[in-house]
Amino acid sequence: MKSPHQNFKSIVSAGIAVFILSCLSACTENDPNQTSEVAASFSIAVIPDTQNYLDYKHQSAEGFAIDSSQLFIQQMQYIADHSIKQGGHIAFVASVGDVWQHQTLAMDTDHQQRDFKAVENPYFAVEIEVTDKTTELEIPLAIEGYRILNDTGIPFGVAPGNHDYDAMWSAAEYPPNLSKSPRELTMTPEDLGMLHIGGLDNFRSAFGSNSAFFKDKPWYIGSFNGGANSAQLFSAGGYRFLHFALEMQAADDVLEWVRNIIKDNPGLPTIITTHDYLNVSGQRQANPIVDLDRIDPSHHNSAEELWTKLISQQDQIFLLLCGHQHGQATRIDDNNYGNKVYQVLADYQDRGQVGLDAGQAVSQYTGKPVGLGDGWFRLMQFELALEVPRIVVTTYSSHYQSLSSELEPYAAWYKEHEQPTMTDEQFHASEEFELVLSDFQQRFGMPK
């Protein structure tokens, strides 16, 4: 099977494809003098939620059919091997968070001091398990994977997801409804309760501003809250880009920090990666069970508030990447300046065909395959020297070594769980598509 960089003929015109393939190995990450299609052709790899790969329960030592962590290592190795510095096409890596699975605290000190209370909730007993395996196994595996990227020198940013926080608990304000039968339950806080999170010491231990990944890196240009929020620069395709990795449903002080970094880096096309922003219908709505702004509005902003307060007001922001909600979605809105902002969701953590292939039984709780991720991640191929620039979005599995369109049973495996109302054709189209950057050159100039 072909890898994405070998498969351009299926997604771009044949003439450009041949030109790119013949010259790509000569391109470098930071050559601002090239202005050809090749110079303006590069990819961003977007890593969806990897928590199920690193879950200690999904390893052979715990009786699972495979070491699912090897899917994670394989994915990171593929991205590293196809980075520009290794002769490939990937110039930057954005991780949407939920790197690992479990927590180490029942509740963090800040929320205890603010008198938050937890309640027993049998519906989320597995979800909110506190275990030493987090620091003994899951976080070290995460560091091992990102060290593969780090060793290549490729710049990357990691946004914390709810599972990366030190604590996650069932909020006492929304107790579960235990009087209903399982068949009567709805996906609402009134039935299932609501989860809340706090503390980022674990995340900072791996991805903080003083971590080996980021300390003294020239492309890591700023952080807030110890690296829970971070800013990176990378050069590719004749442009310098600014990227932010932001904590989940970030508060006003985080947004002000972003504004200041943008002010200090005027004119740069800017990308934001954050964990929770779009749902699978393309709405800016939180998962109703993990709605941080609803529980603690003074310390969080909803996705709509993030749009209103920050994204729509900053014309340099043209792209937002997110995960958290299981599936895929894309929406395009005009900002306050009349320019396009492309907002893209991808989260494949529910995909468990690899486990089934290895003989793993379906989940005793859901009757579905145990979610792993199956090696799937997003590649966003930027073509910026065309008369009308574009991003070609594809979905690739480092395990199956296949694009979504090349794998015959793709829709049969995944559509029912992620987009049951779509046709197979619509489902495939949600995984391979183009974003036409109609105003990119007007906003940011021609590639140099």
Side-chain angles (χ1 to χ4, degrees), residues 123-181:
Y123 301 135
F124 295 119
V126 174
E127 190 83 2
I128 59 179
E129 177 188 357
V130 174
T131 173
D132 291 340
K133 296 288 188 179
T134 307
T135 53
E136 293 173 357
L137 179 69
E138 294 181 1
I139 294 176
L141 281 171
I143 291 172
E144 179 185 348
Y146 279 91
R147 189 176 291 126
I148 294 171
L149 296 184
N150 186 65
D151 289 347
T152 71
I154 189 170
F156 62 91
V158 184
N162 50 298
H163 283 265
D164 303 320
Y165 282 71
D166 303 338
M168 184 159 57
W169 65 93
S170 186
E173 303 96 306
Y174 295 91
N177 186 343
L178 302 180
S179 65
K180 284 188 175 182
S181 70

Side-chain angles (χ1 to χ4, degrees), residues 284-347:
R284 288 191 288 262
Q285 291 184 2
N287 180 325
I289 307 304
V290 197
D291 192 341
L292 310 183
D293 177 63
R294 184 173 175 180
I295 291 182
D296 195 6
S298 65
H299 286 67
H300 294 280
N301 280 299
S302 68
E304 195 60 42
E305 288 171 329
L306 183 61
W307 168 262
T308 302
K309 293 181 179 181
L310 177 69
I311 297 169
S312 65
Q313 295 185 13
Q314 298 291 325
D315 195 32
Q316 288 180 216
I317 301 172
F318 77 101
L319 177 64
L320 183 139
L321 307 170
C322 62
H324 182 57
Q325 304 203 47
H326 306 180
Q328 55 292 105
T330 301
R331 71 176 288 162
I332 304 170
D333 293 292
D334 287 347
N335 64 17
N336 293 353
Y337 301 85
N339 291 320
K340 305 296 182 188
V341 182
Y342 306 85
Q343 301 142 84
V344 183
L345 161 70
D347 176 11

Side-chain angles (χ1 to χ4, degrees), residues 116-277:
F116 278 71
K117 304 296 183 186
V119 64
E120 292 291 328
N121 190 335
Y123 301 135
F124 295 119
V126 174
E127 190 83 2
I128 59 179
E129 177 188 357
V130 174
T131 173
D132 291 340
K133 296 288 188 179
T134 307
T135 53
E136 293 173 357
L137 179 69
E138 294 181 1
I139 294 176
L141 281 171
I143 291 172
E144 179 185 348
Y146 279 91
R147 189 176 291 126
I148 294 171
L149 296 184
N150 186 65
D151 289 347
T152 71
I154 189 170
F156 62 91
V158 184
N162 50 298
H163 283 265
D164 303 320
Y165 282 71
D166 303 338
M168 184 159 57
W169 65 93
S170 186
E173 303 96 306
Y174 295 91
N177 186 343
L178 302 180
S179 65
K180 284 188 175 182
S181 70
R183 292 184 178 181
E184 296 176 307
L185 293 171
T186 61
M187 189 70 172
T188 61
E190 290 72 25
D191 276 2
L192 298 181
M194 190 182 292
L195 299 175
H196 200 54
I197 58 176
L200 281 165
D201 287 345
N202 290 336
F203 184 83
R204 283 187 287 262
S205 73
F207 301 113
S209 54
N210 287 321
S211 70
F213 292 138
F214 302 129
K215 186 177 181 180
D216 299 327
K217 292 293 198 307
W219 46 264
Y220 187 90
I221 63 166
S223 64
F224 188 80
N225 193 12
N229 307 273
S230 60
Q232 298 83 30
L233 289 175
F234 69 96
S235 297
Y239 294 89
R240 294 179 73 218
F241 289 84
L242 175 61
H243 175 269
F244 291 97
L246 302 184
E247 62 189 87
M248 191 170 169
Q249 298 182 25
D252 286 344
D253 54 357
V254 176
L255 306 192
E256 182 61 24
W257 169 77
V258 171
R259 294 186 196 100
N260 289 331
I261 295 289
I262 291 176
K263 184 178 179 181
D264 291 340
N265 294 273
L268 300 187
T270 299
I271 303 166
I272 287 183
T273 298
T274 192
H275 186 59
D276 181 34
Y277 183 83

